[in-house]
Amino acid sequence: MIQLSDHFNYRRLLRFTFPSIIMMVFTSIYGVVDGFFVSNFAGKTPFAAINFIMPVLMILGCIGFMFGTGGSALISKTMGEGREQKANEIFSMLVYVSVVLGVLLAVLGVVFIRPIAVLLGAEGRMLENCVLYGRIILSALPFFILQYEFQCLFTTAAKPNLGLYITVASGVTNMVLDAVFVAGFRWGLVGAAAATSLSQFVGGVLPLIYFGRKNTSLLHLVKFSLMKGKFDGRVLLKTCTNGASELMSNISMSIVSMLYNTQLMKYAGEDGVAAYGVLMYVSMIFTAIFIGYAVGTAPVIGYHYGAQNESELKGLLKQSVILTGVFSVAMCIAGETLGRPLSYLFVGYDEALLGMTIHAFAVFSVSFLFSGFTIFGSSFFTALNDGLTSALISFLRTLVFQIAAVIIFPIFWELDGIWWSIVAAEVMAVVVTVVLLAVKRKKYGYF
Protein backbone atom coordinates (compact mmCIF):
# COMPACT_ATOMS: atom_id res chain seq x y z
CA MET A 1 0.00 0.00 0.00
CA ILE A 2 1.29 3.46 -0.92
CA GLN A 3 1.67 5.72 2.12
CA LEU A 4 1.53 9.54 2.21
CA SER A 5 5.04 9.53 3.67
CA ASP A 6 6.54 7.61 0.70
CA HIS A 7 8.88 9.04 -1.92
CA PHE A 8 6.88 9.60 -5.10
CA ASN A 9 8.21 9.08 -8.61
CA TYR A 10 6.02 9.33 -11.73
CA ARG A 11 4.83 5.74 -11.52
CA ARG A 12 3.96 5.86 -7.83
CA LEU A 13 2.28 9.25 -8.22
CA LEU A 14 0.10 7.99 -11.05
CA ARG A 15 -0.77 4.83 -9.14
CA PHE A 16 -1.79 6.83 -6.08
CA THR A 17 -3.82 9.45 -7.97
CA PHE A 18 -5.41 7.08 -10.50
CA PRO A 19 -8.37 6.10 -8.27
CA SER A 20 -9.11 9.79 -7.58
CA ILE A 21 -8.98 10.58 -11.30
CA ILE A 22 -11.32 7.71 -12.18
CA MET A 23 -13.57 8.61 -9.26
CA MET A 24 -13.99 12.21 -10.49
CA VAL A 25 -14.42 11.13 -14.10
CA PHE A 26 -17.03 8.56 -13.13
CA THR A 27 -18.88 11.15 -11.03
CA SER A 28 -18.97 13.43 -14.07
CA ILE A 29 -20.09 10.64 -16.39
CA TYR A 30 -23.07 9.68 -14.30
CA GLY A 31 -23.95 13.38 -14.03
CA VAL A 32 -23.93 13.51 -17.82
CA VAL A 33 -26.29 10.53 -17.98
CA ASP A 34 -29.10 12.70 -16.60
CA GLY A 35 -28.63 15.12 -19.46
CA PHE A 36 -28.54 12.37 -22.05
CA PHE A 37 -31.78 10.73 -20.93
CA VAL A 38 -33.65 13.98 -20.40
CA SER A 39 -32.56 15.46 -23.72
CA ASN A 40 -33.42 12.35 -25.72
CA PHE A 41 -36.53 11.18 -23.86
CA ALA A 42 -38.05 14.41 -22.49
CA GLY A 43 -36.96 17.07 -25.01
CA LYS A 44 -34.78 20.14 -25.22
CA THR A 45 -36.91 22.40 -22.98
CA PRO A 46 -36.57 20.13 -19.90
CA PHE A 47 -32.89 19.66 -20.86
CA ALA A 48 -32.42 23.43 -20.95
CA ALA A 49 -34.25 23.74 -17.61
CA ILE A 50 -31.81 21.35 -15.90
CA ASN A 51 -28.86 23.34 -17.22
CA PHE A 52 -30.55 26.57 -16.19
CA ILE A 53 -31.11 25.62 -12.53
CA MET A 54 -28.09 23.33 -12.07
CA PRO A 55 -25.66 26.20 -11.19
CA VAL A 56 -27.82 27.06 -8.17
CA LEU A 57 -27.81 23.45 -6.98
CA MET A 58 -24.06 23.16 -7.48
CA ILE A 59 -23.42 26.26 -5.35
CA LEU A 60 -25.12 24.52 -2.43
CA GLY A 61 -23.56 21.10 -3.02
CA CYS A 62 -20.00 22.36 -3.40
CA ILE A 63 -19.94 23.23 0.31
CA GLY A 64 -18.87 19.60 0.63
CA PHE A 65 -16.00 20.15 -1.77
CA MET A 66 -14.81 23.06 0.38
CA PHE A 67 -14.84 20.91 3.52
CA GLY A 68 -13.26 18.03 1.62
CA THR A 69 -10.34 19.89 0.05
CA GLY A 70 -9.78 22.30 2.94
CA GLY A 71 -10.10 19.53 5.50
CA SER A 72 -7.85 17.23 3.51
CA ALA A 73 -5.07 19.84 3.52
CA LEU A 74 -5.34 20.45 7.26
CA ILE A 75 -5.79 16.79 8.23
CA SER A 76 -2.85 15.58 6.10
CA LYS A 77 -0.62 18.36 7.49
CA THR A 78 -1.65 17.38 11.02
CA MET A 79 -0.80 13.73 10.32
CA GLY A 80 2.54 14.82 8.86
CA GLU A 81 3.23 16.51 12.18
CA GLY A 82 2.58 13.20 13.94
CA ARG A 83 -0.78 14.16 15.58
CA GLU A 84 -3.04 11.33 14.46
CA GLN A 85 -5.69 11.72 17.19
CA LYS A 86 -6.09 15.42 16.44
CA ALA A 87 -6.46 14.57 12.76
CA ASN A 88 -9.38 12.24 13.57
CA GLU A 89 -11.04 14.88 15.74
CA ILE A 90 -10.83 17.41 12.90
CA PHE A 91 -12.19 14.85 10.46
CA SER A 92 -15.14 14.00 12.71
CA MET A 93 -16.03 17.60 13.43
CA LEU A 94 -16.12 18.45 9.74
CA VAL A 95 -18.43 15.53 8.95
CA TYR A 96 -20.88 16.45 11.71
CA VAL A 97 -20.90 20.13 10.71
CA SER A 98 -21.52 19.13 7.08
CA VAL A 99 -24.62 17.12 8.00
CA VAL A 100 -26.17 19.96 9.99
CA LEU A 101 -25.33 22.54 7.33
CA GLY A 102 -26.69 20.29 4.59
CA VAL A 103 -30.10 19.98 6.27
CA LEU A 104 -30.32 23.75 6.82
CA LEU A 105 -29.40 24.58 3.22
CA ALA A 106 -31.82 21.98 1.88
CA VAL A 107 -34.75 23.58 3.72
CA LEU A 108 -33.80 27.08 2.58
CA GLY A 109 -33.28 25.86 -0.98
CA VAL A 110 -36.72 24.25 -1.22
CA VAL A 111 -38.33 27.47 0.03
CA PHE A 112 -36.47 29.88 -2.23
CA ILE A 113 -35.90 27.85 -5.42
CA ARG A 114 -38.87 29.41 -7.26
CA PRO A 115 -37.98 33.09 -6.64
CA ILE A 116 -34.36 32.31 -7.52
CA ALA A 117 -35.38 30.72 -10.83
CA VAL A 118 -37.65 33.71 -11.60
CA LEU A 119 -34.82 36.11 -10.76
CA LEU A 120 -32.55 34.28 -13.21
CA GLY A 121 -35.12 34.72 -15.98
CA ALA A 122 -36.95 31.39 -16.11
CA GLU A 123 -40.61 31.58 -17.05
CA GLY A 124 -43.48 29.43 -18.25
CA ARG A 125 -42.79 25.75 -18.69
CA MET A 126 -39.06 26.17 -18.09
CA LEU A 127 -39.74 27.80 -14.71
CA GLU A 128 -41.96 24.93 -13.57
CA ASN A 129 -39.36 22.39 -14.73
CA CYS A 130 -36.61 24.24 -12.84
CA VAL A 131 -38.62 24.27 -9.60
CA LEU A 132 -39.68 20.63 -9.89
CA TYR A 133 -36.18 19.32 -10.63
CA GLY A 134 -34.55 21.59 -8.04
CA ARG A 135 -36.79 20.62 -5.15
CA ILE A 136 -36.30 16.89 -5.68
CA ILE A 137 -32.52 17.28 -5.86
CA LEU A 138 -32.48 19.51 -2.76
CA SER A 139 -34.18 16.76 -0.75
CA ALA A 140 -30.89 14.83 -0.95
CA LEU A 141 -28.58 17.84 -0.44
CA PRO A 142 -27.02 16.61 2.87
CA PHE A 143 -25.94 13.41 1.11
CA PHE A 144 -24.71 15.37 -1.92
CA ILE A 145 -22.49 17.47 0.37
CA LEU A 146 -21.15 14.38 2.13
CA GLN A 147 -20.48 12.65 -1.17
CA TYR A 148 -18.34 15.54 -2.39
CA GLU A 149 -16.56 15.73 0.95
CA PHE A 150 -15.72 12.05 1.22
CA GLN A 151 -14.42 11.94 -2.36
CA CYS A 152 -11.52 14.08 -1.14
CA LEU A 153 -11.15 12.55 2.33
CA PHE A 154 -10.90 8.94 1.16
CA THR A 155 -7.54 9.85 -0.40
CA THR A 156 -6.43 11.51 2.82
CA ALA A 157 -7.37 8.32 4.66
CA ALA A 158 -5.06 6.44 2.24
CA LYS A 159 -8.09 4.59 0.84
CA PRO A 160 -8.49 6.05 -2.66
CA ASN A 161 -9.58 2.70 -4.08
CA LEU A 162 -12.44 2.42 -1.61
CA GLY A 163 -13.53 5.92 -2.52
CA LEU A 164 -13.56 4.85 -6.15
CA TYR A 165 -15.67 1.76 -5.42
CA ILE A 166 -18.29 3.81 -3.58
CA THR A 167 -18.36 6.39 -6.37
CA VAL A 168 -18.88 3.58 -8.88
CA ALA A 169 -21.73 2.19 -6.75
CA SER A 170 -23.33 5.62 -6.63
CA GLY A 171 -22.85 6.14 -10.36
CA VAL A 172 -24.26 2.75 -11.33
CA THR A 173 -27.28 3.49 -9.14
CA ASN A 174 -27.87 6.75 -11.01
CA MET A 175 -27.41 5.30 -14.49
CA VAL A 176 -29.58 2.23 -13.90
CA LEU A 177 -32.37 4.28 -12.32
CA ASP A 178 -32.14 6.85 -15.14
CA ALA A 179 -32.74 4.07 -17.63
CA VAL A 180 -35.64 2.70 -15.58
CA PHE A 181 -37.30 5.98 -14.52
CA VAL A 182 -36.70 8.17 -17.58
CA ALA A 183 -36.45 5.77 -20.53
CA GLY A 184 -38.59 2.97 -19.09
CA PHE A 185 -41.31 4.62 -16.99
CA ARG A 186 -41.14 7.92 -18.95
CA TRP A 187 -41.10 10.02 -15.79
CA GLY A 188 -39.03 12.74 -17.49
CA LEU A 189 -37.50 15.33 -15.15
CA VAL A 190 -38.98 13.69 -12.07
CA GLY A 191 -37.32 10.39 -12.94
CA ALA A 192 -33.94 12.02 -13.61
CA ALA A 193 -34.07 13.97 -10.35
CA ALA A 194 -35.14 10.90 -8.35
CA ALA A 195 -32.32 8.82 -9.85
CA THR A 196 -29.75 11.48 -9.00
CA SER A 197 -31.06 11.94 -5.44
CA LEU A 198 -30.96 8.22 -4.70
CA SER A 199 -27.42 7.94 -6.09
CA GLN A 200 -26.32 10.80 -3.82
CA PHE A 201 -27.84 8.95 -0.87
CA VAL A 202 -25.63 5.96 -1.73
CA GLY A 203 -22.54 8.16 -2.15
CA GLY A 204 -23.08 9.93 1.16
CA VAL A 205 -24.29 7.16 3.47
CA LEU A 206 -21.87 4.33 2.60
CA PRO A 207 -18.79 6.36 3.66
CA LEU A 208 -20.57 7.33 6.91
CA ILE A 209 -21.06 3.63 7.68
CA TYR A 210 -17.44 2.81 6.83
CA PHE A 211 -15.79 5.57 8.84
CA GLY A 212 -18.26 5.15 11.70
CA ARG A 213 -17.10 1.57 12.28
CA LYS A 214 -13.69 0.11 13.05
CA ASN A 215 -11.66 0.24 9.83
CA THR A 216 -8.12 -0.04 8.47
CA SER A 217 -7.85 3.52 7.13
CA LEU A 218 -5.93 6.42 8.67
CA LEU A 219 -9.19 8.11 9.69
CA HIS A 220 -12.29 7.17 11.66
CA LEU A 221 -15.26 9.03 13.09
CA VAL A 222 -14.96 9.89 16.75
CA LYS A 223 -18.35 9.38 18.42
CA PHE A 224 -20.33 12.56 18.89
CA SER A 225 -20.41 12.08 22.68
CA LEU A 226 -16.61 11.98 22.73
CA MET A 227 -16.48 15.17 20.65
CA LYS A 228 -18.03 17.16 23.50
CA GLY A 229 -15.83 20.18 24.12
CA LYS A 230 -13.77 19.36 21.04
CA PHE A 231 -15.47 21.80 18.66
CA ASP A 232 -12.74 24.12 17.43
CA GLY A 233 -13.92 27.23 15.61
CA ARG A 234 -10.38 28.08 14.54
CA VAL A 235 -9.96 24.70 12.88
CA LEU A 236 -13.29 25.11 11.11
CA LEU A 237 -12.27 28.59 9.94
CA LYS A 238 -8.90 27.28 8.74
CA THR A 239 -10.64 24.48 6.85
CA CYS A 240 -12.97 26.94 5.18
CA THR A 241 -10.04 29.22 4.34
CA ASN A 242 -8.06 26.32 2.89
CA GLY A 243 -11.04 25.15 0.84
CA ALA A 244 -12.18 28.65 -0.09
CA SER A 245 -10.58 28.38 -3.52
CA GLU A 246 -12.53 25.23 -4.39
CA LEU A 247 -15.73 26.77 -3.00
CA MET A 248 -15.01 29.97 -4.88
CA SER A 249 -14.26 28.03 -8.03
CA ASN A 250 -17.57 26.16 -7.91
CA ILE A 251 -19.63 29.18 -6.91
CA SER A 252 -17.95 31.34 -9.53
CA MET A 253 -18.48 28.72 -12.22
CA SER A 254 -22.14 28.54 -11.27
CA ILE A 255 -22.53 32.32 -11.33
CA VAL A 256 -20.71 32.54 -14.63
CA SER A 257 -22.92 29.75 -16.03
CA MET A 258 -25.95 31.88 -15.18
CA LEU A 259 -24.38 34.82 -17.00
CA TYR A 260 -23.52 32.62 -19.99
CA ASN A 261 -27.11 31.41 -20.11
CA THR A 262 -28.34 35.02 -20.06
CA GLN A 263 -25.99 35.99 -22.89
CA LEU A 264 -26.88 32.89 -24.88
CA MET A 265 -30.60 33.58 -24.54
CA LYS A 266 -29.87 37.02 -26.00
CA TYR A 267 -27.76 35.84 -28.95
CA ALA A 268 -29.08 32.32 -29.66
CA GLY A 269 -32.21 31.69 -27.57
CA GLU A 270 -33.06 28.36 -26.00
CA ASP A 271 -30.82 26.51 -28.49
CA GLY A 272 -27.81 28.42 -27.19
CA VAL A 273 -28.55 27.35 -23.61
CA ALA A 274 -28.94 23.73 -24.73
CA ALA A 275 -25.65 23.85 -26.70
CA TYR A 276 -23.85 25.33 -23.69
CA GLY A 277 -25.35 22.56 -21.57
CA VAL A 278 -23.73 19.95 -23.80
CA LEU A 279 -20.36 21.71 -23.49
CA MET A 280 -20.65 21.82 -19.71
CA TYR A 281 -21.63 18.16 -19.43
CA VAL A 282 -18.72 16.98 -21.57
CA SER A 283 -16.23 19.45 -20.07
CA MET A 284 -17.08 18.05 -16.62
CA ILE A 285 -15.68 14.71 -17.76
CA PHE A 286 -12.53 16.23 -19.25
CA THR A 287 -11.92 18.64 -16.37
CA ALA A 288 -12.54 15.82 -13.89
CA ILE A 289 -9.18 14.34 -14.91
CA PHE A 290 -7.41 17.51 -13.77
CA ILE A 291 -9.52 17.78 -10.62
CA GLY A 292 -9.04 14.11 -9.78
CA TYR A 293 -5.27 14.44 -10.12
CA ALA A 294 -5.28 17.57 -7.95
CA VAL A 295 -7.42 15.87 -5.29
CA GLY A 296 -5.14 12.83 -5.34
CA THR A 297 -1.91 14.78 -4.94
CA ALA A 298 -3.16 17.27 -2.34
CA PRO A 299 -2.83 14.98 0.74
CA VAL A 300 0.68 13.95 -0.36
CA ILE A 301 1.72 17.58 -0.76
CA GLY A 302 0.09 18.51 2.56
CA TYR A 303 1.79 15.65 4.37
CA HIS A 304 5.29 16.50 3.12
CA TYR A 305 4.70 20.18 3.80
CA GLY A 306 3.77 19.30 7.40
CA ALA A 307 6.89 17.10 7.61
CA GLN A 308 9.00 19.98 6.16
CA ASN A 309 10.32 17.77 3.37
CA GLU A 310 11.21 20.41 0.76
CA SER A 311 12.99 18.02 -1.61
CA GLU A 312 9.83 15.95 -1.95
CA LEU A 313 7.76 19.09 -2.55
CA LYS A 314 10.09 20.08 -5.39
CA GLY A 315 9.76 16.66 -6.99
CA LEU A 316 5.98 16.64 -6.65
CA LEU A 317 5.64 20.06 -8.28
CA LYS A 318 7.93 19.21 -11.20
CA GLN A 319 6.28 15.86 -11.86
CA SER A 320 2.80 17.36 -11.61
CA VAL A 321 3.53 20.15 -14.08
CA ILE A 322 4.84 17.65 -16.64
CA LEU A 323 1.93 15.24 -16.15
CA THR A 324 -0.59 18.07 -16.35
CA GLY A 325 0.98 19.18 -19.62
CA VAL A 326 0.58 15.69 -21.07
CA PHE A 327 -3.03 15.50 -19.88
CA SER A 328 -3.77 18.95 -21.34
CA VAL A 329 -2.60 18.10 -24.85
CA ALA A 330 -4.45 14.78 -24.76
CA MET A 331 -7.67 16.48 -23.62
CA CYS A 332 -7.48 19.11 -26.36
CA ILE A 333 -6.95 16.49 -29.07
CA ALA A 334 -9.76 14.35 -27.67
CA GLY A 335 -12.11 17.34 -27.58
CA GLU A 336 -11.42 18.28 -31.18
CA THR A 337 -11.77 14.68 -32.32
CA LEU A 338 -14.86 13.71 -30.35
CA GLY A 339 -16.79 16.97 -30.67
CA ARG A 340 -19.13 15.76 -33.42
CA PRO A 341 -20.07 12.30 -32.02
CA LEU A 342 -20.52 13.67 -28.49
CA SER A 343 -22.71 16.52 -29.75
CA TYR A 344 -24.77 14.07 -31.79
CA LEU A 345 -25.26 11.91 -28.72
CA PHE A 346 -27.10 14.74 -26.96
CA VAL A 347 -28.77 16.82 -29.68
CA GLY A 348 -28.65 14.71 -32.84
CA TYR A 349 -32.43 15.07 -33.15
CA ASP A 350 -32.14 18.81 -34.05
CA GLU A 351 -29.95 19.68 -37.06
CA ALA A 352 -29.58 23.40 -36.31
CA LEU A 353 -28.78 22.80 -32.65
CA LEU A 354 -26.33 20.05 -33.59
CA GLY A 355 -24.41 22.37 -35.94
CA MET A 356 -24.19 25.08 -33.28
CA THR A 357 -22.96 22.60 -30.67
CA ILE A 358 -20.28 21.08 -32.92
CA HIS A 359 -18.89 24.53 -33.75
CA ALA A 360 -18.89 25.55 -30.07
CA PHE A 361 -17.08 22.32 -29.20
CA ALA A 362 -14.27 23.05 -31.67
CA VAL A 363 -13.60 26.41 -30.00
CA PHE A 364 -14.15 25.27 -26.43
CA SER A 365 -11.69 22.35 -26.66
CA VAL A 366 -8.77 24.79 -26.94
CA SER A 367 -9.36 25.76 -23.29
CA PHE A 368 -8.22 22.31 -22.14
CA LEU A 369 -4.65 23.28 -23.07
CA PHE A 370 -4.64 25.76 -20.19
CA SER A 371 -7.24 24.85 -17.57
CA GLY A 372 -5.32 21.92 -16.04
CA PHE A 373 -2.36 24.07 -14.96
CA THR A 374 -4.60 26.53 -13.14
CA ILE A 375 -6.63 23.80 -11.44
CA PHE A 376 -3.47 22.13 -10.17
CA GLY A 377 -1.89 25.46 -9.17
CA SER A 378 -4.89 26.38 -7.05
CA SER A 379 -4.98 22.92 -5.45
CA PHE A 380 -1.21 23.06 -4.80
CA PHE A 381 -1.59 26.18 -2.66
CA THR A 382 -4.61 24.67 -0.88
CA ALA A 383 -2.45 21.67 0.05
CA LEU A 384 0.18 24.07 1.40
CA ASN A 385 -2.57 25.52 3.62
CA ASP A 386 -2.32 28.83 1.73
CA GLY A 387 -6.01 29.21 1.09
CA LEU A 388 -5.86 32.90 0.21
CA THR A 389 -3.46 32.41 -2.70
CA SER A 390 -5.46 29.44 -3.90
CA ALA A 391 -8.68 31.44 -3.66
CA LEU A 392 -7.13 34.32 -5.60
CA ILE A 393 -6.30 32.02 -8.51
CA SER A 394 -9.79 30.51 -8.52
CA PHE A 395 -11.49 33.89 -8.09
CA LEU A 396 -9.68 35.39 -11.07
CA ARG A 397 -10.01 32.28 -13.25
CA THR A 398 -13.61 31.37 -12.69
CA LEU A 399 -15.18 34.75 -11.99
CA VAL A 400 -13.29 37.92 -12.94
CA PHE A 401 -11.70 36.81 -16.21
CA GLN A 402 -14.73 34.87 -17.43
CA ILE A 403 -17.25 37.59 -16.59
CA ALA A 404 -15.13 40.23 -18.28
CA ALA A 405 -14.61 38.08 -21.37
CA VAL A 406 -18.23 36.92 -21.76
CA ILE A 407 -19.46 40.52 -21.50
CA ILE A 408 -16.87 42.10 -23.82
CA PHE A 409 -16.24 39.44 -26.49
CA PRO A 410 -19.84 39.11 -27.75
CA ILE A 411 -19.91 42.85 -28.46
CA PHE A 412 -17.37 42.26 -31.22
CA TRP A 413 -17.92 38.61 -32.22
CA GLU A 414 -21.50 37.92 -31.03
CA LEU A 415 -22.12 34.19 -30.45
CA ASP A 416 -18.53 33.18 -31.30
CA GLY A 417 -17.36 35.70 -28.72
CA ILE A 418 -19.16 33.72 -26.03
CA TRP A 419 -17.37 30.49 -26.97
CA TRP A 420 -13.93 32.17 -27.24
CA SER A 421 -14.36 33.99 -23.91
CA ILE A 422 -13.82 30.68 -22.07
CA VAL A 423 -10.46 30.16 -23.78
CA ALA A 424 -9.34 33.75 -23.10
CA ALA A 425 -10.16 33.42 -19.39
CA GLU A 426 -8.10 30.23 -19.07
CA VAL A 427 -5.07 31.83 -20.76
CA MET A 428 -5.14 34.80 -18.38
CA ALA A 429 -5.52 32.47 -15.39
CA VAL A 430 -2.42 30.47 -16.35
CA VAL A 431 -0.36 33.66 -16.44
CA VAL A 432 -1.52 34.57 -12.92
CA THR A 433 -0.76 31.04 -11.64
CA VAL A 434 2.80 31.10 -12.99
CA VAL A 435 3.44 34.51 -11.42
CA LEU A 436 2.15 33.40 -8.00
CA LEU A 437 4.19 30.18 -8.08
CA ALA A 438 7.30 32.27 -8.74
CA VAL A 439 6.48 34.78 -6.01
CA LYS A 440 5.84 32.12 -3.34
CA ARG A 441 8.75 29.81 -4.18
CA LYS A 442 11.08 30.98 -1.38
CA LYS A 443 8.38 30.86 1.28
CA TYR A 444 7.55 27.19 0.65
CA GLY A 445 10.84 26.01 -0.88
CA TYR A 446 9.33 24.01 -3.75
CA PHE A 447 11.93 25.25 -6.27
Side-chain angles (χ1 to χ4, degrees):
M1 184 175 66
I2 300 175
Q3 302 289 339
L4 298 180
S5 56
D6 289 349
H7 167 69
F8 282 79
N9 53 27
Y10 286 102
R11 183 172 179 271
R12 187 177 292 268
L13 194 58
L14 285 172
R15 281 180 57 204
F16 189 76
T17 58
F18 184 73
S20 295
I21 293 173
I22 299 302
M23 179 170 61
M24 289 298 176
V25 169
F26 199 83
T27 300
S28 300
I29 289 174
Y30 82 71
V32 169
V33 170
D34 266 355
F36 168 78
F37 278 103
V38 171
S39 181
N40 285 278
F41 292 95
K44 67 181 181 182
T45 298
F47 179 58
I50 289 179
N51 298 317
F52 203 82
I53 202 62
M54 185 59 72
V56 178
L57 305 176
M58 290 302 298
I59 286 176
L60 299 176
C62 69
I63 296 292
F65 207 47
M66 176 186 71
F67 281 129
T69 55
S72 175
L74 186 57
I75 292 167
S76 59
K77 178 176 178 291
T78 303
M79 289 192 294
E81 295 167 346
R83 299 187 292 157
E84 287 79 10
Q85 181 58 32
K86 180 63 176 177
N88 278 294
E89 291 174 3
I90 295 172
F91 168 71
S92 302
M93 183 184 71
L94 294 179
V95 172
Y96 297 142
V97 169
S98 298
V99 173
V100 174
L101 189 59
V103 172
L104 177 62
L105 290 175
V107 173
L108 293 174
V110 168
V111 173
F112 291 105
I113 191 69
R114 180 177 291 275
I116 290 173
V118 171
L119 183 64
L120 294 174
E123 56 186 24
R125 185 184 170 202
M126 180 180 281
L127 172 61
E128 297 307 318
N129 284 336
C130 287
V131 174
L132 178 61
Y133 184 83
R135 283 179 172 165
I136 296 173
I137 294 296
L138 286 167
S139 67
L141 183 63
F143 308 112
F144 186 26
I145 290 175
L146 286 174
Q147 182 180 16
Y148 259 151
E149 185 171 352
F150 284 124
Q151 282 177 342
C152 301
L153 294 175
F154 266 117
T155 306
T156 312
K159 290 289 184 179
N161 287 326
L162 184 57
L164 173 59
Y165 300 150
I166 291 178
T167 299
V168 169
S170 176
V172 169
T173 299
N174 190 33
M175 289 186 283
V176 170
L177 292 181
D178 264 328
V180 174
F181 293 165
V182 183
F185 295 165
R186 299 285 178 166
W187 288 352
L189 276 179
V190 173
T196 299
S197 297
L198 289 170
S199 73
Q200 290 167 353
F201 177 83
V202 172
V205 171
L206 289 183
L208 273 179
I209 295 172
Y210 174 77
F211 285 114
R213 303 174 65 180
K214 186 177 181 180
N215 62 72
T216 58
S217 77
L218 299 179
L219 297 173
H220 64 272
L221 282 172
V222 177
K223 290 185 178 180
F224 190 77
S225 59
L226 299 178
M227 286 290 296
K228 196 171 183 180
K230 299 278 187 177
F231 181 84
D232 192 332
R234 289 176 300 177
V235 167
L236 184 61
L237 178 61
K238 182 62 177 176
T239 298
C240 294
T241 303
N242 285 344
S245 60
E246 282 69 25
L247 178 66
M248 176 61 68
S249 178
N250 282 277
I251 290 177
S252 298
M253 287 171 63
S254 297
I255 292 173
V256 168
S257 292
M258 298 175 198
L259 179 58
Y260 270 83
N261 286 332
T262 301
Q263 288 285 71
L264 286 163
M265 287 292 286
K266 176 182 176 182
Y267 287 96
E270 194 174 285
D271 279 5
V273 176
Y276 181 65
V278 176
L279 294 187
M280 291 301 98
Y281 276 122
V282 177
S283 72
M284 282 195 303
I285 299 175
F286 283 51
T287 306
I289 294 176
F290 300 127
I291 296 174
Y293 180 81
V295 168
T297 55
V300 181
I301 294 168
Y303 185 95
H304 287 287
Y305 172 60
Q308 299 182 350
N309 190 345
E310 292 187 356
S311 62
E312 194 66 26
L313 280 180
K314 292 177 183 178
L316 287 167
L317 178 60
K318 178 183 176 181
Q319 292 161 12
S320 295
V321 169
I322 292 173
L323 289 172
T324 301
V326 173
F327 294 156
S328 299
V329 174
M331 291 303 98
C332 181
I333 294 173
E336 296 292 347
T337 305
L338 300 175
R340 177 175 289 275
L342 289 173
S343 299
Y344 188 84
L345 185 67
F346 283 91
V347 294
Y349 54 82
D350 189 313
E351 191 64 33
L353 178 55
L354 176 62
M356 179 189 295
T357 307
I358 292 172
H359 174 69
F361 223 113
V363 175
F364 182 77
S365 297
V366 178
S367 68
F368 295 133
L369 289 173
F370 310 99
S371 59
F373 293 101
T374 312
I375 290 170
F376 173 77
S378 177
S379 175
F380 183 72
F381 284 112
T382 297
L384 295 174
N385 284 255
D386 189 347
L388 292 178
T389 301
S390 179
L392 177 61
I393 294 173
S394 293
F395 177 73
L396 292 174
R397 172 185 173 247
T398 58
L399 190 66
V400 176
F401 293 152
Q402 290 219 32
I403 286 179
V406 78
I407 291 175
I408 295 172
F409 279 35
I411 296 174
F412 300 99
W413 299 291
E414 297 186 337
L415 184 58
D416 266 0
I418 297 177
W419 308 134
W420 279 109
S421 64
I422 302 171
V423 179
E426 295 290 2
V427 172
M428 290 185 283
V430 167
V431 173
V432 170
T433 303
V434 170
V435 170
L436 288 173
L437 282 169
V439 170
K440 297 279 186 173
R441 68 187 187 280
K442 291 184 178 179
K443 180 178 179 179
Y444 297 111
Y446 44 73
F447 68 78

